[in-house]
Amino acid sequence: MPDVDSASDKDDLAVRSQLCQHLAFLYPEANAELLADEVISIFDDLKQQRPLPLHQLWSEKDCMLITYGDSIVDDNSVPLEILQQFLHGHLNDSVSAVHVLPFCPFSSDDGFAVIDYTKVNAKLGQWSQISEISDQYRLMADIVINHVSSKSQWFRNYCKGVEPGASYFIEAKVGDDLSAVVRPRATPLLRPTETANGMKHVWCTFSHDQIDLNFRNPKVLMEFLRIIRVYLQRGVSIFRLDAVGFLWKEPGTNCMHLPQTHEVVKLIRTVTDSFAPGTLLITETNVPNHENLTYFGNRNEAHVIYNFSLAPLLVHALLTGKTEYLKRWMMSMPPAPVGCTYLNFTASHDGIGMRPAEGLLSDEEQFEMVETVSRFGGKISTRRTADGGQRVYELNVALFDALRGTVGGEDQWQVERFLCSQTVMLGLEGIPAFYIHSLLATPNDQQGVAATEHNRSINRHKWNWPELKELLGDDQSVHSQVFHELTRRMQLRRSHAPFHPNATQFTLQLSDGVFAFWRQSSDRSQSIFCVHNMTDTTQELRLSDLNLIANDSWYDAISECRFDDQTAVLEMTPYQSLWITNR
């Protein structure tokens, strides 16, 4: 038998060597071996282990819910308890993972200006309730890694000139050439700040309450590794690296996706693979598609990346009835590398990002989307460009209301159009993720926008729990109709192997108003043809165009309608979806 201790020692040495390589690249003037020892000491109570086999990372049974801790509230319980009740009573057979958006004390941006990463916001609940969710579901948490609240102790210490914090932030001079820096906001990049050492100007990519951290200082990296260790202890098994593309700053560059940023992601991947196998990393990089794809690295960075281009292209197709842009993107998307996959989503706590549509939709097509969504009550957020101009950054709108009609105006097909959008997402390569307000068909929250004066509040409604339960129990309620049909389709998906996140996918070329793709199980025993009418008119589907295998029996898994005649011509009603399968 092999010497177990010897094998373990070899693993330990390999991990230490790998950490040294990462750290030497990031901090060439520091002692990489001492830094590696510090990293290992942070996780010293976790035994180093081999990564899980790739086939155990995810399956067709995986589906995620995205929610704030207080998306549902009432007066009798803390929100995290209400969330558990909602999950147990309504989603127990539908989702396997839950992304609880930032749950720490914060000062702005609905949680993304973190005051203390090690505490749970008392208004939401406590750590025990976070851990209870992780007992039943894979729990995803945000590591808001690029910046911290101006109310944090680190920044307070910076202003006083004491550690920890005095060396944790990025200073610049007003005259520095920062014109190439990519920004998601139109506010000034530098914030004047009075400190014990005089007036300083600190870097703020997002807002003046969100102060960028200086990862040139290895102490900052160590702080975040300790935070990751705390979260692992509390049951978090999926880490979302928020706004990670902005992490490393080099004046004179655009400060996006720099080599050091990728190296930090690789280092975190090494740590989690070694000390907590099965932990997943997801990078949040709301950027053009070709930039986003780089975060797979050489299968050594993110396990999962967001499919950011899906939302704007899908909404465009449903608003216009034109599928050419969606098809072109689908055909150009590479299969995820082995051991990696996509996270598919159509709505989130933010808006529908338009940067991922750059190079995929023309300016004219984007303008038409902006005009249409605005007519349906949506708001528009912009970003500053390098030449001083502004471009649309995102469409702020509840997805249910974004699909209220088409470019021609409102119509009677809102529910069908919306269900079509979610069914497309369910069928695609990758793991589907449902924002809670999509599941609940929540409309635009205009009162929320008026109260906060922030466009993103339009899609961050807080439901009253007794009211929501009543609506979900009312068959005549649009919220009930959408929720129950979506959860039915989510449960259907779990029983079909071709919906494995890494199963084969091929885009089909049917009529322009129809978007279709083929999925096949890894053992090739089952196929599913996912066919969607993206228009407000009836579309013909010739089953012969799908080349169905003659000896198999085919049926639509959604409607359970069987097709005995494989030469039949089907009439697809507006926004109808079919999952034509042989099992």
Side-chain angles (χ1 to χ4, degrees), residues 475-505:
D475 291 344
Q476 302 304 309
S477 158
V478 68
H479 308 286
S480 175
Q481 293 168 10
V482 168
F483 180 80
H484 288 102
E485 183 58 24
L486 282 180
T487 52
R488 184 181 78 87
R489 296 185 190 191
M490 291 160 72
Q491 291 161 20
L492 271 178
R493 179 185 186 276
R494 294 164 66 101
S495 62
H496 293 286
F499 288 137
H500 186 285
N502 297 115
T504 298
Q505 177 172 286

Side-chain angles (χ1 to χ4, degrees), residues 106-242:
F106 68 96
S107 55
S108 64
D109 199 14
D110 283 353
F112 287 91
V114 178
I115 294 175
D116 189 337
Y117 293 86
T118 64
K119 295 180 180 178
V120 174
N121 181 355
K123 293 181 179 179
L124 297 179
Q126 52 194 351
W127 273 118
S128 61
Q129 288 148 345
I130 293 289
S131 297
E132 285 169 11
I133 294 174
S134 75
D135 289 341
Q136 301 295 322
Y137 304 90
R138 297 175 89 170
L139 177 62
M140 181 156 99
D142 290 272
I143 299 296
V144 184
I145 197 168
N146 177 72
H147 48 262
V148 70
S149 168
S150 65
K151 307 298 190 298
S152 67
Q153 191 60 52
W154 291 346
F155 193 66
R156 292 176 187 272
N157 287 351
Y158 167 79
C159 295
K160 296 174 185 176
V162 299
E163 297 289 359
S167 59
Y168 282 17
F169 299 94
I170 303 169
E171 297 174 355
K173 296 177 181 177
V174 175
D176 289 347
D177 182 8
L178 304 175
S179 59
V181 175
V182 170
R183 300 288 313 290
R185 301 289 186 272
T187 53
L189 175 63
L190 301 181
R191 165 186 156 152
T193 302
E194 191 64 52
T195 76
N197 299 310
M199 179 64 71
K200 302 293 182 181
H201 290 81
V202 291
W203 196 294
C204 300
T205 296
F206 289 86
S207 79
H208 284 191
D209 186 43
Q210 295 164 293
I211 319 298
D212 285 38
L213 289 152
N214 181 16
F215 274 83
R216 287 177 174 274
N217 182 350
K219 291 180 181 178
V220 173
L221 174 64
M222 299 302 165
E223 293 278 17
F224 276 92
L225 293 178
R226 281 189 281 271
I227 291 164
I228 288 172
R229 177 64 191 90
V230 169
Y231 284 28
L232 286 170
Q233 186 177 7
R234 300 295 187 174
V236 174
S237 58
I238 308 175
F239 289 95
R240 177 184 185 267
L241 301 182
D242 176 66

Side-chain angles (χ1 to χ4, degrees), residues 499-555:
F499 288 137
H500 186 285
N502 297 115
T504 298
Q505 177 172 286
F506 185 80
T507 308
L508 303 177
Q509 297 301 319
L510 302 177
S511 65
D512 186 50
V514 174
F515 178 59
F517 50 92
W518 171 69
R519 305 294 309 276
Q520 185 183 57
S521 59
S522 59
D523 64 3
R524 300 185 180 182
S525 65
Q526 184 182 5
S527 291
I528 293 184
F529 293 86
C530 303
V531 187
H532 313 86
N533 180 356
M534 308 292 278
T535 74
D536 57 4
T537 59
T538 299
Q539 297 285 320
E540 287 190 348
L541 172 66
R542 297 178 183 276
L543 289 180
S544 58
D545 289 343
L546 301 181
N547 294 320
L548 304 179
I549 298 174
N551 293 334
D552 288 354
S553 177
W554 296 88
Y555 76 105

Side-chain angles (χ1 to χ4, degrees), residues 212-503:
D212 285 38
L213 289 152
N214 181 16
F215 274 83
R216 287 177 174 274
N217 182 350
K219 291 180 181 178
V220 173
L221 174 64
M222 299 302 165
E223 293 278 17
F224 276 92
L225 293 178
R226 281 189 281 271
I227 291 164
I228 288 172
R229 177 64 191 90
V230 169
Y231 284 28
L232 286 170
Q233 186 177 7
R234 300 295 187 174
V236 174
S237 58
I238 308 175
F239 289 95
R240 177 184 185 267
L241 301 182
D242 176 66
V244 69
F246 300 93
L247 188 72
W248 200 277
K249 315 298 192 296
E250 291 280 357
T253 74
N254 65 5
C255 299
M256 284 292 288
H257 321 307
L258 297 185
Q260 295 91 336
T261 292
H262 284 279
E263 200 68 30
V264 170
V265 177
K266 291 174 186 175
L267 184 148
I268 296 173
R269 172 70 179 267
T270 294
V271 166
T272 53
D273 275 358
S274 302
F275 296 98
T279 300
L280 302 182
L281 292 187
I282 297 183
T283 47
E284 189 269 328
T285 50
N286 189 2
V287 294
N289 195 48
H290 66 280
E291 298 175 31
N292 188 36
L293 288 168
T294 64
Y295 283 87
F296 280 139
N298 186 19
R299 298 169 49 203
N300 59 351
E301 295 189 40
H303 296 87
V304 185
I305 65 172
Y306 282 88
N307 221 340
F308 277 108
S309 297
L310 173 63
L313 292 176
L314 183 57
V315 170
H316 173 267
L318 288 165
L319 292 179
T320 63
K322 297 186 292 187
T323 62
E324 58 189 284
Y325 301 100
L326 187 60
K327 289 176 182 175
R328 188 181 304 156
W329 165 73
M330 276 275 287
M331 289 186 292
S332 68
M333 282 293 287
V338 176
C340 302
T341 194
Y342 297 104
L343 191 73
N344 296 320
F345 74 107
T346 55
S348 74
H349 60 289
D350 294 337
I352 298 170
M354 294 304 291
R355 284 213 73 205
E358 292 176 11
L360 301 173
L361 291 176
S362 68
D363 288 349
E364 292 75 19
E365 297 284 357
Q366 292 190 50
F367 180 76
E368 187 175 39
M369 282 184 69
V370 168
E371 289 288 296
T372 303
V373 169
S374 297
R375 290 201 304 273
F376 297 157
K379 310 293 182 183
I380 308 300
S381 294
T382 61
R383 66 180 179 87
R384 182 170 293 172
T385 58
D387 61 5
Q390 293 190 15
R391 285 185 66 93
V392 174
Y393 180 68
E394 64 185 15
L395 309 178
N396 300 113
V397 65
L399 184 63
F400 186 62
D401 272 357
L403 299 176
R404 196 185 292 174
T406 68
V407 292
E410 295 187 32
D411 59 25
Q412 74 271 37
W413 301 110
Q414 182 179 15
V415 169
E416 291 82 359
R417 187 180 294 111
F418 181 76
L419 288 173
C420 180
S421 74
Q422 303 308 283
T423 308
V424 169
M425 179 181 73
L426 276 171
L428 290 172
E429 174 192 356
I431 299 170
F434 286 87
Y435 186 41
I436 190 168
H437 292 305
S438 292
L439 279 180
L440 300 174
T442 308
N444 291 330
D445 187 350
Q446 301 292 1
Q447 290 183 336
V449 175
T452 65
E453 298 183 346
H454 293 300
N455 287 349
R456 284 179 167 177
S457 296
I458 201 168
N459 199 26
R460 298 178 179 180
H461 181 68
K462 289 180 172 56
W463 277 102
N464 174 270
W465 182 220
E467 176 189 353
L468 179 61
K469 282 192 289 187
E470 184 176 347
L471 287 170
L472 292 180
D474 179 3
D475 291 344
Q476 302 304 309
S477 158
V478 68
H479 308 286
S480 175
Q481 293 168 10
V482 168
F483 180 80
H484 288 102
E485 183 58 24
L486 282 180
T487 52
R488 184 181 78 87
R489 296 185 190 191
M490 291 160 72
Q491 291 161 20
L492 271 178
R493 179 185 186 276
R494 294 164 66 101
S495 62
H496 293 286
F499 288 137
H500 186 285
N502 297 115

